[in-house]
Amino acid sequence: MTELPDRPQTPHARTDDHAEIRARLEAALSAHDRVHSLLEAVLSIGSDLDLTAVLRNLAEAAASLVDAKYAGLGVIAEDGHFGEFINVGLSEEEARCVPRFPQGTGLLAVPSTERRALRLNDLRNHASFRGFPEGHPVMSTFLGVPIQVRDEVFGNLYLAEKNDGGQFDENDEATVTALATAAGVAIENARLFEETRLRERWLAASTEITTRLLSGGAAGDVLGHLAQQAREMADADIAVVLLPEPRDHELIAEIADGPRAAEVVKTQLSIAETLCGDVYRNGEAMTIPDLRQVNCPMLSHHGFRPGMLVPFGTTAHTRGVLLLGKSGARAAPFDDATRRMLNAFAGQAAVALELAEARQDAERLVVLEDRDRIAKDLHDVVIQRLFASAMNLVSTLRLVNDTEAGERVRRTIDDLDGTIREIRSTVFALRQPTTEGVASLRGRILAAVENTAKTLGFHPGVRLDGPIDTSVSGKIGEQLLAVLNEGLSNVARHAHATEAHVLVSIDARVTLRITDNGVGATGHRPGSGLRNMAERAQALGGEFAVEPREVSGTVLRWCVPRGNPDDGTAAAH
């Protein structure tokens, strides 16, 4: 029997060889997927020019690439701490438990100071474990990578707690490092775009404010526009212009712009005890991560957290403080570029305000010089000619034999005397310096008489003799106005008059005389109004009387000593 030849043996693959091949294929596919995901993340980050959006996209992309539960990105400020911190993965409840974001000290400062990645299986075992605020979630696994923009460390990117409970490995570190490196270009582009956009807005706003001021716009309106522009440029939720009160003890919120501006206006802050006061005194701008950490209840009590203080004016002469705030605990703090921009903006606006005020002072000086010239002309020319004419008429009166003609001459002389007194009163008014926003006693008398015209049904005549604004004390001025208002009110209620005249004359005494052509005071019982007027005169050592006129009507006469004007004129209302 022929033996068949042996058939070749088919090699049998070993199980461990299959497992190795499968592992290599999965690793290759995983690496391919990771590279693909990394490229997608880089493209998504670079597609946006808004810096805040770029940073948040970077943190979210990093967490997704390495399957991390938490991600954080800290932006390093000029002082070396974090000026801004973006977190990903914290729930709303967890975020509320954290009173402030990390400051970038201790363990969190290692990636930026050593310029290398830091990977830990348990961050709590690290020698520099600190820098986490109270209430922060407990974390163990950690990966930190510096973010560099050119040769500058912009910030740090942190990952913590993988979702599968594992550790961060070398591949995770390499992936996040590559992402942070690529993101540096996107961050630089977004930052340059943001600074360019802010600079354009700053130049436009500065030009508009300067134009408004130098074209005669009211300072209050211009400051309101400044607050609005500053709030919009800084992406803030409120802007407040704090100005010092006259004693320079407190800052008062004179102007505010924003949804809750009405709740803030007229709030006062102590200059000696607040950070706002420090900025007002030293003239240096500053950013505040959380307004609850400083004494600024006008904003912190309304839910505003990040803040910025900008002096309004030059270092040598600070006119006030511009206070900005953002609403909400998770709002990003103001960055250094915004602080520098607003500091320059407020300084330029303050210079424009100084120039506008100087121009207004020059215009006011021209007006005062014109008033003084007119007063001199009235006194030295017009009054003298009228006085000479009156004296000629007095001399001529002796030559007039006709009774009717003589009476006409006497009335003309009386009219000239009255005209001279009125012109002298006008001269006193022209030479009296006016205070912006404060009415003089003369003006308040005229306003009081004008206000009664509708009630009376006619306009009373007014005659003012003597230096009313310079010789009447504030106390007497107030009493005179009260008697004037009460006297005209009585004419309107009781006299049934068609004509009334008011005379205020100043010599050694202050005299108020109100006459009307009404039914007269006969049979009228004195009421509380007349008693009050009499008591006001007696309290000042003066006299008060109400008497019937010779023909018809009533004469009210209130007369008191002139007093000392040094206790404040009636204009100081």
PDB file of all heavy atoms in Angstrom, residues 363-379 423 425-436 438 440 442-443 469-470:
ATOM      1  N   GLU A 363     -16.889 133.502  28.391  1.00  0.00           N
ATOM      2  CA  GLU A 363     -18.134 134.092  27.906  1.00  0.00           C
ATOM      3  C   GLU A 363     -18.857 134.828  29.031  1.00  0.00           C
ATOM      4  O   GLU A 363     -19.427 135.906  28.815  1.00  0.00           O
ATOM      5  CB  GLU A 363     -19.029 133.004  27.327  1.00  0.00           C
ATOM      6  CG  GLU A 363     -18.483 132.379  26.041  1.00  0.00           C
ATOM      7  CD  GLU A 363     -19.340 131.238  25.542  1.00  0.00           C
ATOM      8  OE1 GLU A 363     -20.276 130.847  26.290  1.00  0.00           O
ATOM      9  OE2 GLU A 363     -19.107 130.743  24.433  1.00  0.00           O
ATOM     10  N   ARG A 364     -18.843 134.221  30.231  1.00  0.00           N
ATOM     11  CA  ARG A 364     -19.493 134.859  31.375  1.00  0.00           C
ATOM     12  C   ARG A 364     -18.786 136.181  31.720  1.00  0.00           C
ATOM     13  O   ARG A 364     -19.430 137.167  32.092  1.00  0.00           O
ATOM     14  CB  ARG A 364     -19.480 133.905  32.556  1.00  0.00           C
ATOM     15  CG  ARG A 364     -20.374 134.360  33.712  1.00  0.00           C
ATOM     16  CD  ARG A 364     -20.394 133.344  34.834  1.00  0.00           C
ATOM     17  NE  ARG A 364     -20.977 132.095  34.383  1.00  0.00           N
ATOM     18  CZ  ARG A 364     -20.294 130.962  34.263  1.00  0.00           C
ATOM     19  NH1 ARG A 364     -19.011 130.919  34.553  1.00  0.00           N
ATOM     20  NH2 ARG A 364     -20.898 129.864  33.860  1.00  0.00           N
ATOM     21  N   LEU A 365     -17.464 136.198  31.603  1.00  0.00           N
ATOM     22  CA  LEU A 365     -16.717 137.418  31.881  1.00  0.00           C
ATOM     23  C   LEU A 365     -17.076 138.509  30.889  1.00  0.00           C
ATOM     24  O   LEU A 365     -17.221 139.686  31.260  1.00  0.00           O
ATOM     25  CB  LEU A 365     -15.218 137.118  31.823  1.00  0.00           C
ATOM     26  CG  LEU A 365     -14.285 138.307  32.116  1.00  0.00           C
ATOM     27  CD1 LEU A 365     -14.538 138.835  33.526  1.00  0.00           C
ATOM     28  CD2 LEU A 365     -12.825 137.899  31.961  1.00  0.00           C
ATOM     29  N   VAL A 366     -17.250 138.129  29.613  1.00  0.00           N
ATOM     30  CA  VAL A 366     -17.653 139.113  28.607  1.00  0.00           C
ATOM     31  C   VAL A 366     -19.019 139.693  28.953  1.00  0.00           C
ATOM     32  O   VAL A 366     -19.240 140.908  28.855  1.00  0.00           O
ATOM     33  CB  VAL A 366     -17.664 138.465  27.209  1.00  0.00           C
ATOM     34  CG1 VAL A 366     -18.290 139.409  26.191  1.00  0.00           C
ATOM     35  CG2 VAL A 366     -16.253 138.093  26.787  1.00  0.00           C
ATOM     36  N   VAL A 367     -19.948 138.823  29.376  1.00  0.00           N
ATOM     37  CA  VAL A 367     -21.288 139.295  29.743  1.00  0.00           C
ATOM     38  C   VAL A 367     -21.211 140.234  30.939  1.00  0.00           C
ATOM     39  O   VAL A 367     -21.871 141.285  30.969  1.00  0.00           O
ATOM     40  CB  VAL A 367     -22.200 138.093  30.057  1.00  0.00           C
ATOM     41  CG1 VAL A 367     -23.524 138.564  30.639  1.00  0.00           C
ATOM     42  CG2 VAL A 367     -22.447 137.272  28.798  1.00  0.00           C
ATOM     43  N   LEU A 368     -20.413 139.871  31.943  1.00  0.00           N
ATOM     44  CA  LEU A 368     -20.283 140.729  33.125  1.00  0.00           C
ATOM     45  C   LEU A 368     -19.667 142.069  32.770  1.00  0.00           C
ATOM     46  O   LEU A 368     -20.068 143.111  33.306  1.00  0.00           O
ATOM     47  CB  LEU A 368     -19.443 140.017  34.185  1.00  0.00           C
ATOM     48  CG  LEU A 368     -20.078 138.789  34.844  1.00  0.00           C
ATOM     49  CD1 LEU A 368     -19.099 138.118  35.799  1.00  0.00           C
ATOM     50  CD2 LEU A 368     -21.349 139.185  35.593  1.00  0.00           C
ATOM     51  N   GLU A 369     -18.689 142.058  31.873  1.00  0.00           N
ATOM     52  CA  GLU A 369     -18.090 143.325  31.453  1.00  0.00           C
ATOM     53  C   GLU A 369     -19.110 144.188  30.727  1.00  0.00           C
ATOM     54  O   GLU A 369     -19.154 145.414  30.933  1.00  0.00           O
ATOM     55  CB  GLU A 369     -16.884 143.041  30.558  1.00  0.00           C
ATOM     56  CG  GLU A 369     -15.695 142.453  31.309  1.00  0.00           C
ATOM     57  CD  GLU A 369     -14.544 142.086  30.377  1.00  0.00           C
ATOM     58  OE1 GLU A 369     -14.787 142.081  29.149  1.00  0.00           O
ATOM     59  OE2 GLU A 369     -13.448 141.820  30.870  1.00  0.00           O
ATOM     60  N   ASP A 370     -19.943 143.555  29.887  1.00  0.00           N
ATOM     61  CA  ASP A 370     -20.989 144.317  29.192  1.00  0.00           C
ATOM     62  C   ASP A 370     -21.996 144.883  30.182  1.00  0.00           C
ATOM     63  O   ASP A 370     -22.436 146.036  30.054  1.00  0.00           O
ATOM     64  CB  ASP A 370     -21.705 143.421  28.176  1.00  0.00           C
ATOM     65  CG  ASP A 370     -20.863 143.175  26.940  1.00  0.00           C
ATOM     66  OD1 ASP A 370     -19.899 143.932  26.733  1.00  0.00           O
ATOM     67  OD2 ASP A 370     -21.174 142.227  26.192  1.00  0.00           O
ATOM     68  N   ARG A 371     -22.365 144.056  31.174  1.00  0.00           N
ATOM     69  CA  ARG A 371     -23.323 144.542  32.176  1.00  0.00           C
ATOM     70  C   ARG A 371     -22.732 145.702  32.965  1.00  0.00           C
ATOM     71  O   ARG A 371     -23.432 146.685  33.272  1.00  0.00           O
ATOM     72  CB  ARG A 371     -23.697 143.402  33.119  1.00  0.00           C
ATOM     73  CG  ARG A 371     -24.537 142.332  32.466  1.00  0.00           C
ATOM     74  CD  ARG A 371     -24.807 141.171  33.373  1.00  0.00           C
ATOM     75  NE  ARG A 371     -25.419 141.569  34.619  1.00  0.00           N
ATOM     76  CZ  ARG A 371     -26.043 140.754  35.448  1.00  0.00           C
ATOM     77  NH1 ARG A 371     -26.149 139.476  35.126  1.00  0.00           N
ATOM     78  NH2 ARG A 371     -26.569 141.187  36.563  1.00  0.00           N
ATOM     79  N   ASP A 372     -21.449 145.595  33.302  1.00  0.00           N
ATOM     80  CA  ASP A 372     -20.823 146.683  34.054  1.00  0.00           C
ATOM     81  C   ASP A 372     -20.755 147.961  33.220  1.00  0.00           C
ATOM     82  O   ASP A 372     -20.992 149.065  33.725  1.00  0.00           O
ATOM     83  CB  ASP A 372     -19.419 146.245  34.473  1.00  0.00           C
ATOM     84  CG  ASP A 372     -18.777 147.243  35.417  1.00  0.00           C
ATOM     85  OD1 ASP A 372     -19.353 147.481  36.493  1.00  0.00           O
ATOM     86  OD2 ASP A 372     -17.707 147.795  35.077  1.00  0.00           O
ATOM     87  N   ARG A 373     -20.462 147.799  31.915  1.00  0.00           N
ATOM     88  CA  ARG A 373     -20.422 148.973  31.039  1.00  0.00           C
ATOM     89  C   ARG A 373     -21.802 149.623  30.921  1.00  0.00           C
ATOM     90  O   ARG A 373     -21.933 150.852  30.998  1.00  0.00           O
ATOM     91  CB  ARG A 373     -19.919 148.557  29.660  1.00  0.00           C
ATOM     92  CG  ARG A 373     -19.895 149.686  28.644  1.00  0.00           C
ATOM     93  CD  ARG A 373     -19.444 149.188  27.283  1.00  0.00           C
ATOM     94  NE  ARG A 373     -20.253 148.068  26.825  1.00  0.00           N
ATOM     95  CZ  ARG A 373     -21.459 148.221  26.284  1.00  0.00           C
ATOM     96  NH1 ARG A 373     -22.001 149.428  26.168  1.00  0.00           N
ATOM     97  NH2 ARG A 373     -22.136 147.159  25.866  1.00  0.00           N
ATOM     98  N   ILE A 374     -22.835 148.765  30.763  1.00  0.00           N
ATOM     99  CA  ILE A 374     -24.196 149.298  30.664  1.00  0.00           C
ATOM    100  C   ILE A 374     -24.586 150.003  31.955  1.00  0.00           C
ATOM    101  O   ILE A 374     -25.206 151.089  31.937  1.00  0.00           O
ATOM    102  CB  ILE A 374     -25.183 148.165  30.332  1.00  0.00           C
ATOM    103  CG1 ILE A 374     -24.909 147.615  28.937  1.00  0.00           C
ATOM    104  CG2 ILE A 374     -26.622 148.652  30.439  1.00  0.00           C
ATOM    105  CD1 ILE A 374     -25.684 146.354  28.617  1.00  0.00           C
ATOM    106  N   ALA A 375     -24.219 149.397  33.097  1.00  0.00           N
ATOM    107  CA  ALA A 375     -24.554 150.021  34.380  1.00  0.00           C
ATOM    108  C   ALA A 375     -23.881 151.380  34.522  1.00  0.00           C
ATOM    109  O   ALA A 375     -24.492 152.344  35.009  1.00  0.00           O
ATOM    110  CB  ALA A 375     -24.137 149.093  35.523  1.00  0.00           C
ATOM    111  N   LYS A 376     -22.621 151.452  34.099  1.00  0.00           N
ATOM    112  CA  LYS A 376     -21.914 152.741  34.178  1.00  0.00           C
ATOM    113  C   LYS A 376     -22.570 153.779  33.289  1.00  0.00           C
ATOM    114  O   LYS A 376     -22.736 154.945  33.678  1.00  0.00           O
ATOM    115  CB  LYS A 376     -20.447 152.554  33.780  1.00  0.00           C
ATOM    116  CG  LYS A 376     -19.619 151.834  34.835  1.00  0.00           C
ATOM    117  CD  LYS A 376     -18.177 151.685  34.361  1.00  0.00           C
ATOM    118  CE  LYS A 376     -17.336 150.977  35.422  1.00  0.00           C
ATOM    119  NZ  LYS A 376     -15.926 150.797  34.977  1.00  0.00           N
ATOM    120  N   ASP A 377     -22.944 153.351  32.071  1.00  0.00           N
ATOM    121  CA  ASP A 377     -23.594 154.305  31.167  1.00  0.00           C
ATOM    122  C   ASP A 377     -24.926 154.784  31.731  1.00  0.00           C
ATOM    123  O   ASP A 377     -25.265 155.977  31.634  1.00  0.00           O
ATOM    124  CB  ASP A 377     -23.812 153.653  29.789  1.00  0.00           C
ATOM    125  CG  ASP A 377     -22.505 153.445  29.036  1.00  0.00           C
ATOM    126  OD1 ASP A 377     -21.496 154.058  29.442  1.00  0.00           O
ATOM    127  OD2 ASP A 377     -22.499 152.641  28.076  1.00  0.00           O
ATOM    128  N   LEU A 378     -25.700 153.861  32.291  1.00  0.00           N
ATOM    129  CA  LEU A 378     -26.980 154.261  32.880  1.00  0.00           C
ATOM    130  C   LEU A 378     -26.774 155.228  34.038  1.00  0.00           C
ATOM    131  O   LEU A 378     -27.508 156.216  34.174  1.00  0.00           O
ATOM    132  CB  LEU A 378     -27.737 153.018  33.360  1.00  0.00           C
ATOM    133  CG  LEU A 378     -28.344 152.120  32.277  1.00  0.00           C
ATOM    134  CD1 LEU A 378     -28.929 150.873  32.920  1.00  0.00           C
ATOM    135  CD2 LEU A 378     -29.427 152.876  31.505  1.00  0.00           C
ATOM    136  N   HIS A 379     -25.774 154.918  34.880  1.00  0.00           N
ATOM    137  CA  HIS A 379     -25.576 155.746  36.065  1.00  0.00           C
ATOM    138  C   HIS A 379     -24.962 157.102  35.720  1.00  0.00           C
ATOM    139  O   HIS A 379     -25.401 158.152  36.223  1.00  0.00           O
ATOM    140  CB  HIS A 379     -24.673 155.002  37.056  1.00  0.00           C
ATOM    141  CG  HIS A 379     -24.456 155.745  38.340  1.00  0.00           C
ATOM    142  ND1 HIS A 379     -23.420 156.646  38.506  1.00  0.00           N
ATOM    143  CD2 HIS A 379     -25.152 155.738  39.504  1.00  0.00           C
ATOM    144  CE1 HIS A 379     -23.477 157.155  39.728  1.00  0.00           C
ATOM    145  NE2 HIS A 379     -24.522 156.626  40.353  1.00  0.00           N
ATOM    146  N   ILE A 423     -34.219 153.046  37.256  1.00  0.00           N
ATOM    147  CA  ILE A 423     -32.931 152.851  36.577  1.00  0.00           C
ATOM    148  C   ILE A 423     -31.852 152.527  37.604  1.00  0.00           C
ATOM    149  O   ILE A 423     -30.990 151.663  37.372  1.00  0.00           O
ATOM    150  CB  ILE A 423     -32.564 154.109  35.754  1.00  0.00           C
ATOM    151  CG1 ILE A 423     -33.537 154.274  34.590  1.00  0.00           C
ATOM    152  CG2 ILE A 423     -31.135 154.002  35.242  1.00  0.00           C
ATOM    153  CD1 ILE A 423     -33.314 155.540  33.777  1.00  0.00           C
ATOM    154  N   SER A 425     -32.313 150.993  40.377  1.00  0.00           N
ATOM    155  CA  SER A 425     -32.542 149.597  40.753  1.00  0.00           C
ATOM    156  C   SER A 425     -31.982 148.651  39.693  1.00  0.00           C
ATOM    157  O   SER A 425     -31.379 147.614  40.015  1.00  0.00           O
ATOM    158  CB  SER A 425     -34.041 149.352  40.930  1.00  0.00           C
ATOM    159  OG  SER A 425     -34.292 148.008  41.280  1.00  0.00           O
ATOM    160  N   THR A 426     -32.134 149.015  38.418  1.00  0.00           N
ATOM    161  CA  THR A 426     -31.573 148.198  37.338  1.00  0.00           C
ATOM    162  C   THR A 426     -30.054 148.189  37.395  1.00  0.00           C
ATOM    163  O   THR A 426     -29.411 147.168  37.155  1.00  0.00           O
ATOM    164  CB  THR A 426     -32.048 148.744  35.983  1.00  0.00           C
ATOM    165  OG1 THR A 426     -33.472 148.736  35.937  1.00  0.00           O
ATOM    166  CG2 THR A 426     -31.498 147.897  34.848  1.00  0.00           C
ATOM    167  N   VAL A 427     -29.454 149.326  37.733  1.00  0.00           N
ATOM    168  CA  VAL A 427     -27.994 149.394  37.866  1.00  0.00           C
ATOM    169  C   VAL A 427     -27.516 148.452  38.958  1.00  0.00           C
ATOM    170  O   VAL A 427     -26.530 147.726  38.794  1.00  0.00           O
ATOM    171  CB  VAL A 427     -27.549 150.848  38.144  1.00  0.00           C
ATOM    172  CG1 VAL A 427     -26.078 150.890  38.537  1.00  0.00           C
ATOM    173  CG2 VAL A 427     -27.794 151.730  36.932  1.00  0.00           C
ATOM    174  N   PHE A 428     -28.225 148.452  40.109  1.00  0.00           N
ATOM    175  CA  PHE A 428     -27.867 147.525  41.191  1.00  0.00           C
ATOM    176  C   PHE A 428     -27.945 146.071  40.706  1.00  0.00           C
ATOM    177  O   PHE A 428     -27.096 145.243  41.023  1.00  0.00           O
ATOM    178  CB  PHE A 428     -28.789 147.727  42.382  1.00  0.00           C
ATOM    179  CG  PHE A 428     -28.513 148.975  43.164  1.00  0.00           C
ATOM    180  CD1 PHE A 428     -29.532 149.864  43.457  1.00  0.00           C
ATOM    181  CD2 PHE A 428     -27.233 149.261  43.615  1.00  0.00           C
ATOM    182  CE1 PHE A 428     -29.281 151.023  44.177  1.00  0.00           C
ATOM    183  CE2 PHE A 428     -26.979 150.419  44.344  1.00  0.00           C
ATOM    184  CZ  PHE A 428     -27.996 151.296  44.620  1.00  0.00           C
ATOM    185  N   ALA A 429     -28.991 145.757  39.944  1.00  0.00           N
ATOM    186  CA  ALA A 429     -29.155 144.386  39.451  1.00  0.00           C
ATOM    187  C   ALA A 429     -28.054 144.004  38.478  1.00  0.00           C
ATOM    188  O   ALA A 429     -27.554 142.883  38.494  1.00  0.00           O
ATOM    189  CB  ALA A 429     -30.523 144.231  38.785  1.00  0.00           C
ATOM    190  N   LEU A 430     -27.652 144.956  37.599  1.00  0.00           N
ATOM    191  CA  LEU A 430     -26.603 144.660  36.632  1.00  0.00           C
ATOM    192  C   LEU A 430     -25.262 144.421  37.310  1.00  0.00           C
ATOM    193  O   LEU A 430     -24.454 143.594  36.852  1.00  0.00           O
ATOM    194  CB  LEU A 430     -26.482 145.800  35.623  1.00  0.00           C
ATOM    195  CG  LEU A 430     -27.619 145.922  34.605  1.00  0.00           C
ATOM    196  CD1 LEU A 430     -27.475 147.215  33.809  1.00  0.00           C
ATOM    197  CD2 LEU A 430     -27.626 144.733  33.668  1.00  0.00           C
ATOM    198  N   ARG A 431     -25.007 145.128  38.395  1.00  0.00           N
ATOM    199  CA  ARG A 431     -23.721 144.989  39.072  1.00  0.00           C
ATOM    200  C   ARG A 431     -23.691 143.852  40.081  1.00  0.00           C
ATOM    201  O   ARG A 431     -22.643 143.569  40.653  1.00  0.00           O
ATOM    202  CB  ARG A 431     -23.375 146.314  39.772  1.00  0.00           C
ATOM    203  CG  ARG A 431     -22.983 147.399  38.774  1.00  0.00           C
ATOM    204  CD  ARG A 431     -22.653 148.698  39.455  1.00  0.00           C
ATOM    205  NE  ARG A 431     -22.056 149.641  38.505  1.00  0.00           N
ATOM    206  CZ  ARG A 431     -21.798 150.921  38.778  1.00  0.00           C
ATOM    207  NH1 ARG A 431     -22.104 151.410  39.979  1.00  0.00           N
ATOM    208  NH2 ARG A 431     -21.243 151.691  37.873  1.00  0.00           N
ATOM    209  N   GLN A 432     -24.825 143.218  40.304  1.00  0.00           N
ATOM    210  CA  GLN A 432     -24.861 142.096  41.237  1.00  0.00           C
ATOM    211  C   GLN A 432     -24.415 140.827  40.514  1.00  0.00           C
ATOM    212  O   GLN A 432     -25.041 140.409  39.546  1.00  0.00           O
ATOM    213  CB  GLN A 432     -26.283 141.906  41.787  1.00  0.00           C
ATOM    214  CG  GLN A 432     -26.483 140.636  42.578  1.00  0.00           C
ATOM    215  CD  GLN A 432     -25.680 140.621  43.860  1.00  0.00           C
ATOM    216  OE1 GLN A 432     -25.228 141.663  44.313  1.00  0.00           O
ATOM    217  NE2 GLN A 432     -25.491 139.446  44.436  1.00  0.00           N
ATOM    218  N   PRO A 433     -23.331 140.166  40.956  1.00  0.00           N
ATOM    219  CA  PRO A 433     -22.912 138.917  40.296  1.00  0.00           C
ATOM    220  C   PRO A 433     -23.941 137.823  40.503  1.00  0.00           C
ATOM    221  O   PRO A 433     -24.505 137.676  41.578  1.00  0.00           O
ATOM    222  CB  PRO A 433     -21.586 138.573  40.991  1.00  0.00           C
ATOM    223  CG  PRO A 433     -21.649 139.275  42.314  1.00  0.00           C
ATOM    224  CD  PRO A 433     -22.446 140.520  42.078  1.00  0.00           C
ATOM    225  N   THR A 434     -24.202 137.083  39.438  1.00  0.00           N
ATOM    226  CA  THR A 434     -25.187 136.005  39.502  1.00  0.00           C
ATOM    227  C   THR A 434     -24.488 134.674  39.711  1.00  0.00           C
ATOM    228  O   THR A 434     -23.369 134.466  39.266  1.00  0.00           O
ATOM    229  CB  THR A 434     -26.004 135.954  38.207  1.00  0.00           C
ATOM    230  OG1 THR A 434     -25.111 135.756  37.112  1.00  0.00           O
ATOM    231  CG2 THR A 434     -26.781 137.237  38.010  1.00  0.00           C
ATOM    232  N   THR A 435     -25.171 133.779  40.410  1.00  0.00           N
ATOM    233  CA  THR A 435     -24.670 132.428  40.637  1.00  0.00           C
ATOM    234  C   THR A 435     -25.479 131.476  39.800  1.00  0.00           C
ATOM    235  O   THR A 435     -26.709 131.482  39.860  1.00  0.00           O
ATOM    236  CB  THR A 435     -24.791 132.044  42.123  1.00  0.00           C
ATOM    237  OG1 THR A 435     -24.090 133.014  42.904  1.00  0.00           O
ATOM    238  CG2 THR A 435     -24.186 130.662  42.362  1.00  0.00           C
ATOM    239  N   GLU A 436     -24.768 130.656  39.012  1.00  0.00           N
ATOM    240  CA  GLU A 436     -25.458 129.744  38.096  1.00  0.00           C
ATOM    241  C   GLU A 436     -26.343 128.782  38.873  1.00  0.00           C
ATOM    242  O   GLU A 436     -25.911 128.133  39.815  1.00  0.00           O
ATOM    243  CB  GLU A 436     -24.431 128.953  37.276  1.00  0.00           C
ATOM    244  CG  GLU A 436     -25.068 128.091  36.211  1.00  0.00           C
ATOM    245  CD  GLU A 436     -24.041 127.385  35.358  1.00  0.00           C
ATOM    246  OE1 GLU A 436     -22.841 127.643  35.560  1.00  0.00           O
ATOM    247  OE2 GLU A 436     -24.445 126.594  34.504  1.00  0.00           O
ATOM    248  N   VAL A 438     -28.839 129.510  40.796  1.00  0.00           N
ATOM    249  CA  VAL A 438     -29.409 130.068  42.016  1.00  0.00           C
ATOM    250  C   VAL A 438     -30.076 131.396  41.673  1.00  0.00           C
ATOM    251  O   VAL A 438     -29.434 132.290  41.116  1.00  0.00           O
ATOM    252  CB  VAL A 438     -28.320 130.283  43.095  1.00  0.00           C
ATOM    253  CG1 VAL A 438     -28.938 130.894  44.335  1.00  0.00           C
ATOM    254  CG2 VAL A 438     -27.640 128.965  43.408  1.00  0.00           C
ATOM    255  N   SER A 440     -31.661 135.106  42.239  1.00  0.00           N
ATOM    256  CA  SER A 440     -31.472 136.243  43.131  1.00  0.00           C
ATOM    257  C   SER A 440     -32.799 136.592  43.793  1.00  0.00           C
ATOM    258  O   SER A 440     -33.872 136.141  43.374  1.00  0.00           O
ATOM    259  CB  SER A 440     -30.954 137.437  42.333  1.00  0.00           C
ATOM    260  OG  SER A 440     -31.941 137.852  41.391  1.00  0.00           O
ATOM    261  N   ARG A 442     -34.190 139.490  43.786  1.00  0.00           N
ATOM    262  CA  ARG A 442     -34.939 140.279  42.807  1.00  0.00           C
ATOM    263  C   ARG A 442     -35.701 139.354  41.857  1.00  0.00           C
ATOM    264  O   ARG A 442     -36.894 139.547  41.594  1.00  0.00           O
ATOM    265  CB  ARG A 442     -33.973 141.174  42.024  1.00  0.00           C
ATOM    266  CG  ARG A 442     -34.608 141.988  40.917  1.00  0.00           C
ATOM    267  CD  ARG A 442     -33.536 142.731  40.149  1.00  0.00           C
ATOM    268  NE  ARG A 442     -32.828 143.634  41.026  1.00  0.00           N
ATOM    269  CZ  ARG A 442     -33.203 144.888  41.283  1.00  0.00           C
ATOM    270  NH1 ARG A 442     -34.275 145.372  40.705  1.00  0.00           N
ATOM    271  NH2 ARG A 442     -32.515 145.645  42.100  1.00  0.00           N
ATOM    272  N   GLY A 443     -34.996 138.324  41.350  1.00  0.00           N
ATOM    273  CA  GLY A 443     -35.642 137.386  40.440  1.00  0.00           C
ATOM    274  C   GLY A 443     -36.765 136.611  41.103  1.00  0.00           C
ATOM    275  O   GLY A 443     -37.802 136.333  40.483  1.00  0.00           O
ATOM    276  N   ASP A 469     -30.460 142.871  46.047  1.00  0.00           N
ATOM    277  CA  ASP A 469     -29.695 141.625  46.102  1.00  0.00           C
ATOM    278  C   ASP A 469     -28.449 141.716  46.972  1.00  0.00           C
ATOM    279  O   ASP A 469     -27.917 140.691  47.402  1.00  0.00           O
ATOM    280  CB  ASP A 469     -29.283 141.201  44.685  1.00  0.00           C
ATOM    281  CG  ASP A 469     -30.487 140.760  43.863  1.00  0.00           C
ATOM    282  OD1 ASP A 469     -31.425 140.217  44.457  1.00  0.00           O
ATOM    283  OD2 ASP A 469     -30.483 140.975  42.642  1.00  0.00           O
ATOM    284  N   THR A 470     -27.953 142.916  47.211  1.00  0.00           N
ATOM    285  CA  THR A 470     -26.709 143.047  47.978  1.00  0.00           C
ATOM    286  C   THR A 470     -26.926 143.503  49.407  1.00  0.00           C
ATOM    287  O   THR A 470     -26.028 143.368  50.233  1.00  0.00           O
ATOM    288  CB  THR A 470     -25.768 144.051  47.282  1.00  0.00           C
ATOM    289  OG1 THR A 470     -26.430 145.311  47.140  1.00  0.00           O
ATOM    290  CG2 THR A 470     -25.358 143.526  45.919  1.00  0.00           C
TER     291      THR A 470
END
